[in-house]
Amino acid sequence: AFYYMVNKNLYANDIKFKDSGNIYIANVVIPDSATAIAFQFNKNGKEDNNDKQGYIFPLFNEDGNMISGSRSSIANFYESNGSRFNIKMNEDSLRSYYEQDFKADPKLKKDYGWNYSKNLYIKDQEAAKSFANEQIDEISKNNQLIEKDYVTLSRLYSSIQQKEKEDSIDNILATKFPKSDMSVYNSFNTFYKEKDLKKRQELYNDF
């Protein structure tokens, strides 16, 4: 299978190989919006995961420069789909991918900052808190926050284990944007964790 990433979104396509003298050839079309690509190979039911490194590649523009966000897309792919594809990137490499991208394009911190701080928290809690709080302060400067901003704030707090502040943002998100993906997810999560049947019914009715 052939996968391409558009930032954090993943899209899949089947590919058909042609046997040309024991060399298998296939053509793929990479959309202009893609930021990275990946391949998954199986033969006779056996998976080839390249010694758990996978086959994931950055993309470059016509000038030979790596597309902005390509490394971050790859790091996010490993974090989000590693278990699914039985692949893994070590923590230091993940952090390095994000750091290189942030240095090249600081605007990427808004989309990938919480991924980075969550990973950094494993190694250096104080550094992670400093980074996350910097992003939180930057977002909070805006007096008219949109749904995506609240989601990012929630995840930033979560990445540094600040549960109380995360819950506070989630409550605001649920009030302002009750049909948002995160609000719906949190509602389902609360519903399934509740053991009391009466309270479950109340949660169901509220939803």
Side-chain angles (χ1 to χ4, degrees):
F2 161 62
Y3 299 86
Y4 68 90
M5 290 146 255
V6 180
N7 302 316
K8 290 184 175 183
N9 297 315
L10 183 66
Y11 303 90
N13 287 292
D14 288 328
I15 51 176
K16 295 182 179 180
F17 287 93
K18 294 181 180 179
D19 186 353
S20 179
N22 292 324
I23 297 176
Y24 292 90
I25 300 173
N27 293 320
V28 297
V29 177
I30 302 173
D32 292 339
S33 57
T35 48
I37 57 174
F39 295 91
Q40 182 184 35
F41 298 114
N42 291 279
K43 185 177 181 181
N44 299 324
K46 186 176 181 181
E47 181 184 78
D48 175 8
N49 62 16
N50 192 23
D51 293 326
K52 294 195 173 183
Q53 296 181 64
Y55 295 93
I56 301 97
F57 305 97
L59 293 175
F60 299 81
N61 60 27
E62 57 187 11
D63 296 322
N65 298 315
M66 190 179 293
I67 291 173
S68 177
S70 196
R71 292 186 188 89
S72 294
S73 284
I74 291 173
N76 180 72
F77 180 86
Y78 275 104
E79 290 185 298
S80 302
N81 300 283
S83 58
R84 173 184 171 189
F85 294 101
N86 194 24
I87 59 175
K88 187 175 183 179
M89 176 184 282
N90 69 63
E91 305 295 342
D92 288 339
S93 294
L94 284 170
R95 285 190 288 273
S96 176
Y97 267 42
Y98 286 125
E99 288 166 358
Q100 290 179 72
D101 259 6
F102 294 167
K103 184 177 181 180
D105 186 357
K107 293 192 297 294
L108 291 167
K109 292 178 183 180
K110 191 165 185 179
D111 288 327
Y112 296 98
W114 70 269
N115 300 78
Y116 173 69
S117 60
K118 178 183 69 175
N119 188 283
L120 182 60
Y121 192 84
I122 299 169
K123 180 182 180 180
D124 188 333
Q125 292 187 10
E126 292 307 312
K129 289 177 182 178
S130 177
F131 175 87
N133 286 326
E134 181 182 310
Q135 304 312 306
I136 290 167
D137 289 344
E138 187 63 30
I139 294 171
S140 300
K141 287 179 183 178
N142 190 344
N143 292 325
Q144 294 183 329
L145 300 182
I146 61 174
E147 177 185 332
K148 185 178 179 180
D149 293 327
Y150 286 109
V151 171
T152 301
L153 287 171
S154 174
R155 287 173 173 168
L156 281 166
Y157 282 125
S158 175
S159 73
I160 53 175
Q161 307 291 307
Q162 294 194 6
K163 178 65 175 170
E164 187 175 334
K165 291 183 178 179
E166 177 192 357
D167 289 344
S168 177
I169 294 296
D170 287 347
N171 289 333
I172 295 172
L173 184 65
T175 301
K176 289 180 173 290
F177 307 98
K179 300 302 180 182
S180 68
D181 290 342
M182 179 172 278
S183 293
V184 172
Y185 170 81
N186 288 337
S187 295
F188 274 116
N189 200 33
T190 301
F191 175 82
Y192 284 111
K193 283 183 177 180
E194 180 57 62
K195 303 300 182 183
D196 187 283
L197 292 179
K198 184 177 180 180
K199 289 182 178 179
R200 264 199 175 193
Q201 183 62 49
E202 291 174 354
L203 289 169
Y204 178 81
N205 292 338
D206 290 340
F207 183 74

